[in-house]
């Protein structure tokens, strides 16, 4: 059942919800949370479809906040709220309200959403696109116990990961982190099968995929080993390879569906590791409403620190041989033994070979007895 309301208020929307439940014969409210989706008109359909599928596992009241763009200065100063109420089969296993905000009211979406929240029920806010850099300080984010973003939808995912680390507040999470849950489970299970020390790790995946960076940061944070990030054509994450004291361990998924787990000394095994839809991801996030400390620790590890830990160490240069020793070696090559100083006389530098004296410059900065650069290199 659908009820359209034009130029309405939050109070009238609440009344329409009660009327809709009575009309379909379900006056009792059996919803466990309120899911607030903040999106635009372009992405509203996909987000709402995912939320409806997730509602079969988590019956909820879904409030879709769509901020409409005003074209003229008059429209920008005017305020209007249009709503569409869906109950019954049109709303999955809960209730759905589409709120289209026009004009100045779009800057005060929290005043529209607050009267529509379920009493004594947790609130989750989800930004499928265009999430604020600090979700906890957003007016709508301040109403929620959990704030879900999706870094994959941003133009610069890696830079946004750094911003998320700077503004992290307990309760924040990201669907890019949710996407790697099967990978983390499979890698942890693989390491439980052998007793070994991990020495280095390589994470391979698409270039602009924040899930690859998050998985690499999680491994570097938990294992305290260098993790190298390599690129592939995708789709998504394609492989994780670990060098251990037991041998190589690899989890390779080339087609985005079926992966191969290889452990040195054991036969290869095929494991299901398909790429999940958004409905499965948001349903997983709604299962837990407490802060995700593991995500916070991996996020705060930092992309810059990850790249620095994987950089090869520069070998220390060898110390050059002393100048006197170089002169002695040069004299030995020319067939002349170095002179020993007489008793009571200070030790003097042995004279350079005739060929060397001819090649050396005659300035004070470089005396003649100093061996040329090429021969000094041979001596050292």
């Amino acid at each position: 059942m659908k009820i359209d309301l034009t130029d309405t208020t939050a109070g009238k929307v609440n009344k329409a919800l009660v009327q809709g439940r009575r009309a379909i014969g379900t006056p009792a409210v059996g919803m466990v949370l309120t899911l607030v989706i903040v999106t635009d008109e372009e992405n509203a359909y996909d987000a709402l479809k995912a939320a409806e599928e997730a509602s079969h596992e988590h019956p909820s009241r879904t409030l879709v906040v769509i901020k409409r763009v005003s074209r003229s200065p008059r429209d920008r100063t005017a305020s209007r709220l249009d709503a569409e109420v869906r109950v019954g089969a049109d709303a999955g296993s809960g209730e759905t309200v589409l709120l289209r905000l026009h004009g100045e009211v779009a800057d005060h979406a929290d005043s529209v959403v607050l009267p529509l929240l379920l009493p004594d029920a947790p609130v989750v806010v989800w930004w499928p696109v265009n999430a604020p850099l600090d979700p906890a300080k957003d007016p709508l984010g301040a109403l929620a116990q959990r704030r879900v973003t999706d870094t994959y939808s941003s133009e610069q995912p890696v830079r946004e990961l750094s911003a998320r680390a700077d503004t992290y507040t307990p309760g924040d999470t990201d669907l890019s982190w949710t996407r790697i849950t099967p990978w983390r489970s499979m890698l942890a299970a693989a390491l439980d099968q052998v007793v070994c020390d991990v020495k280095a790790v390589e994470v391979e995946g698409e270039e602009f995929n924040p899930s690859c960076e998050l998985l690499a940061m999680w491994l570097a944070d938990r294992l305290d080993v260098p993790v190298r990030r390599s690129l592939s054509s995708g789709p998504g994450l394609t492989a994780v390879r670990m060098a251990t004291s037991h041998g190589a361990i690899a989890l390779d998924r080339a087609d985005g569906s079926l992966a191969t787990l290889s452990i040195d000394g054991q036969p290869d095994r095929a494991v299901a590791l398909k790429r999940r839809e958004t409905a499965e991801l948001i349903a997983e996030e709604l299962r837990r409403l407490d802060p995700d400390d593991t995500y916070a620790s991996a996020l705060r590890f930092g992309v810059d620190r990850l790249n620095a830990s994987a950089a090869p160490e520069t070998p220390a240069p060898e110390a050059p041989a002393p100048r006197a020793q170089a002169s002695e070696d040069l004299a030995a090559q020319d067939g002349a033994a170095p002179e020993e100083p007489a008793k009571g006389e200070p030790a003097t530098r042995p004279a350079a070979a005739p060929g060397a004296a001819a090649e050396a410059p005659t300035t004070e900065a470089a005396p003649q007895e100093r061996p040329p650069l090429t021969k000094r290199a041979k001596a050292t």
Side-chain angles (χ1 to χ4, degrees), residues 36 65 92 111 121 124 129 188 205 224 248 252 262 265 302 315 342 364 372 376:
V36 182
V65 179
S111 63
V124 179
V129 293
D224 193 21
D252 197 332
S262 303
E364 295 182 0
R376 287 173 59 210

Side-chain angles (χ1 to χ4, degrees), residues 50-125:
E52 289 178 356
E53 293 180 12
S55 70
H56 295 289
E57 183 177 345
H58 309 279
S60 60
R61 174 177 288 181
T62 304
L63 306 177
V64 184
V65 179
I66 303 173
K67 300 180 180 181
R68 298 296 297 268
V69 178
S70 301
R71 299 183 180 275
S72 64
R74 177 179 296 180
D75 293 338
R76 284 192 289 269
T77 57
S79 297
R80 191 176 87 246
L81 170 63
D82 297 335
E84 180 183 336
V85 178
R86 301 180 182 179
V87 292
D90 295 320
S93 297
E95 300 172 343
T96 301
V97 181
L98 277 72
L99 303 170
R100 291 182 170 86
L101 284 62
H102 304 259
E104 293 182 349
V105 72
D107 298 328
H108 306 280
D110 55 318
S111 63
V112 178
V113 170
L114 186 59
L116 301 176
L117 300 179
L118 289 173
D120 302 326
V123 180
V124 179
V125 179

Side-chain angles (χ1 to χ4, degrees), residues 219-278:
L219 289 168
D221 179 53
R222 290 295 168 179
L223 299 176
D224 193 21
V225 296
V227 179
R228 187 168 68 93
R229 170 78 164 88
S230 59
L231 302 181
S232 69
S233 58
L237 271 164
T238 52
V240 175
R241 304 178 183 91
M242 294 184 287
T244 71
S245 57
H246 175 79
I249 299 178
L251 184 60
D252 197 332
R253 185 190 68 178
D255 59 354
S257 177
L258 191 65
T260 302
L261 177 62
S262 303
I263 301 177
D264 196 16
Q266 299 182 15
D268 293 349
R269 282 163 283 184
V271 294
L273 205 61
K274 71 180 184 68
R275 304 189 73 192
R276 298 185 292 170
E277 300 293 335
T278 307

